[in-house]
Amino acid sequence: MAQFSKMPQIPRKDELLSKAFQRARKIKKIIDKHDRINSIREYEQNKISTVSTVISVTIDNILLKTPKIDTLDPFHKHMVELVIDADQFKKSLAALKWAARFNTGICHKYRRRLKGTPLKSLAPVRKECYGRVSSILKQVKKDFIFLEDSRNILKKLPNLKNLPTIVLAGYPNVGKSSLLKCLTGAEPQVQPYPFTTKKILLGYIDEKIQVIDTPGLLDRPLEQKNKIEMQAMLALKYRANLILYLIDPTETCGYCVEQQKSLYKDIRSSFEETQILLCETKYDLQPRKKTPKKSLTKDTPYFLSSKTNEGIDPLKKRLLRSIDWKTYSFKPISFKSPPGNK
Ligand SMILES: Nc1nc2c(ncn2[C@@H]2O[C@H](COP(=O)(O)OP(=O)(O)OP(=O)(O)O)[C@@H](O)[C@H]2O)c(=O)[nH]1
Ligand SMILES: [Mg+2]
């Protein structure tokens, strides 16, 4: 997701500490022969300042470049909540903020303490400060790890464009990803088993239409849908200007037509406002008869084959012709008999 791709890599707490201590080690020890104690004092104070600065700059940069989940648009916000523990994410950011502030305060205190410290105790006092800094970061060790793990998940979320958008939906294994490939040239993973697609994938028709391929849905209530299916539901709810509902009449997907029709009915009633086109997939596997092919439902479908490309170009042309650039959506696409792709 674009918003999270700018989030900087989150170091482990030990990485951050060694970076800070290493930077401090590089400070040159310049001793003024006439004022030995003060020059050493200044040297130790500089070391503390450097450690404090490295830690607070690193953490401030993380806080600045991490998007606020609550200000994301509803689709992205829900997607984030689906893939990571958003509450923990906020708590971990707050913990880092606390650590940075506390750390600055401690370092400030020790720098002042050095002012009244005798020569032989200067280095030990500075080391004591290092110990305090380490123990503060130790308290947020898990937060560094959690944030980095989350960043790695969030940066993989898709970058959606602001284009008229079609969402492909249907049971697992019905041919959604194959259709995405045919329509857009995208290279999704296609496998002969269900639940191949585990996250939403994108492709573009002539750079004018965005097509979202979703994980397979099962015909079951929303509360029972798993996190992978929920990504498909979010795409349908928030991003679909048009839904292509795919039915596999050959049942080679492993699900019977009745189940697929029942999900179709569900999707129609859940997304009443959205235009839905029915597509029957794997047309190459269907027995050819001389009489026009009969539809499985009362709605007239497009008959498509991603293997032989039958029906793909007419569908593409129809979609491109139907773009309504005023609303960034699609004009109503009506089917006139006889059913087919002409
Ligand atoms: N013969 C034939 N096979 C197809 C066609 N479309 C897809 N398939 C096959 O059906 C299987 C599933 O295809 P996918 O495109 O991965 O299906 P999917 O709906 O994306 O599946 P999930 O991601 O698991 O939900 C693969 O073995 C494809 O090769 C088609 O038009 N004709
Ligand atoms: Mg797929």
Side-chain angles (χ1 to χ4, degrees):
M1 197 191 280
Q3 292 93 324
F4 287 95
S5 58
K6 294 197 184 85
M7 195 177 160
Q9 189 177 352
I10 317 284
R12 306 252 155 179
K13 77 102 180 144
D14 286 337
E15 283 167 1
L16 180 53
L17 279 175
S18 8
K19 182 174 150 194
F21 294 153
Q22 246 171 41
R23 197 72 64 77
R25 228 174 284 137
K26 283 189 185 148
I27 295 172
K28 283 228 167 74
K29 195 174 188 177
I30 302 162
I31 297 176
D32 179 348
K33 274 190 253 159
H34 308 292
D35 194 2
R36 189 173 157 75
I37 176 148
N38 272 330
S39 54
I40 295 181
R41 179 173 289 130
E42 204 175 303
Y43 167 70
E44 297 296 356
Q45 282 176 326
N46 280 345
K47 279 188 145 184
I48 292 179
S49 302
T50 303
V51 166
S52 165
T53 307
V54 169
I55 293 173
S56 54
V57 164
T58 306
I59 294 182
D60 286 349
N61 189 42
I62 294 169
L63 297 174
L64 184 75
K65 293 188 179 152
T66 301
K68 308 269 171 297
I69 294 178
D70 291 328
T71 62
L72 296 172
D73 64 273
F75 171 71
H76 285 113
K77 183 167 182 281
H78 281 108
M79 280 295 277
V80 168
E81 288 167 350
L82 205 59
V83 295
I84 62 158
D85 180 344
D87 281 338
Q88 185 54 52
F89 190 79
K90 289 179 211 166
K91 280 186 198 148
S92 289
L93 285 173
L96 255 56
K97 188 172 177 179
W98 166 83
R101 300 291 163 270
F102 200 48
N103 183 59
T104 309
I106 291 284
C107 289
H108 185 65
K109 222 174 93 186
Y110 271 89
R111 275 201 319 270
R112 280 181 37 195
R113 205 174 126 186
L114 282 175
K115 280 186 189 158
T117 302
L119 179 63
K120 67 175 174 26
S121 304
L122 288 171
V125 166
R126 189 254 307 152
K127 281 182 191 156
E128 190 184 311
C129 176
Y130 277 16
R132 294 286 303 273
V133 168
S134 306
S135 79
I136 294 165
L137 289 198
K138 198 171 167 194
Q139 288 182 59
V140 294
K141 178 182 172 184
K142 286 195 179 130
D143 298 291
F144 281 108
I145 296 171
F146 177 82
L147 288 170
E148 178 60 3
D149 290 347
S150 304
R151 186 184 76 92
N152 282 323
I153 297 171
L154 294 170
K155 70 179 186 194
K156 287 187 197 129
L157 288 178
N159 284 324
L160 295 174
K161 291 187 185 166
N162 193 18
L163 284 175
T165 299
I166 294 173
V167 176
L168 306 179
Y171 253 77
N173 226 9
V174 295
K176 297 177 296 298
S177 300
S178 305
L179 183 59
L180 175 81
K181 195 172 167 178
C182 274
L183 285 174
T184 69
E187 285 292 339
Q189 205 191 353
V190 171
Q191 294 292 344
Y193 45 77
F195 295 111
T196 306
T197 306
K198 295 194 170 49
K199 56 177 188 172
I200 66 174
L201 303 171
L202 303 176
Y204 296 89
I205 303 177
D206 290 3
E207 318 238 319
K208 291 191 178 82
I209 298 175
Q210 177 165 250
V211 184
I212 303 183
D213 174 24
T214 63
L217 289 165
L218 295 178
D219 173 26
R220 54 185 178 183
L222 202 59
E223 320 69 78
Q224 286 171 27
K225 291 199 191 300
N226 62 30
K227 286 189 171 189
I228 298 177
E229 288 176 272
M230 281 307 290
Q231 295 189 41
M233 293 306 283
L234 289 178
L236 287 167
K237 179 169 176 195
Y238 292 112
R239 301 309 294 242
N241 301 117
L242 177 86
I243 298 170
L244 288 187
Y245 184 83
L246 274 56
I247 283 193
D248 171 6
T250 69
E251 299 184 350
T252 51
C253 60
Y255 303 96
C256 71
V257 167
E258 282 314 306
Q259 287 173 297
Q260 298 183 62
K261 275 163 68 175
S262 167
L263 177 63
Y264 176 55
K265 242 175 84 189
D266 258 21
I267 301 269
R268 284 187 67 107
S269 57
S270 303
F271 304 103
E272 270 176 341
E273 310 278 291
T274 316
Q275 189 175 186
I276 304 183
L277 297 187
L278 187 66
C279 300
E280 288 188 21
T281 56
K282 309 187 186 173
Y283 190 47
D284 55 294
L285 297 181
Q286 297 187 43
R288 306 296 162 107
K289 292 180 190 148
K290 287 215 173 85
T291 48
K293 178 148 177 21
K294 266 182 105 181
S295 165
L296 296 167
T297 68
K298 63 180 174 32
D299 299 319
T300 314
Y302 270 108
F303 298 109
L304 304 173
S305 167
S306 301
K307 281 263 145 51
T308 59
N309 275 327
E310 277 168 287
I312 302 291
D313 269 348
L315 174 62
K316 241 163 113 165
K317 278 186 193 140
R318 196 96 188 231
L319 293 169
L320 285 164
R321 269 207 312 270
S322 308
I323 298 174
D324 181 347
W325 286 111
K326 277 195 207 118
T327 57
Y328 267 58
S329 185
F330 294 89
K331 293 173 202 151
I333 302 174
S334 63
F335 286 89
K336 295 191 175 95
S337 56
N341 303 318
K342 308 262 152 40

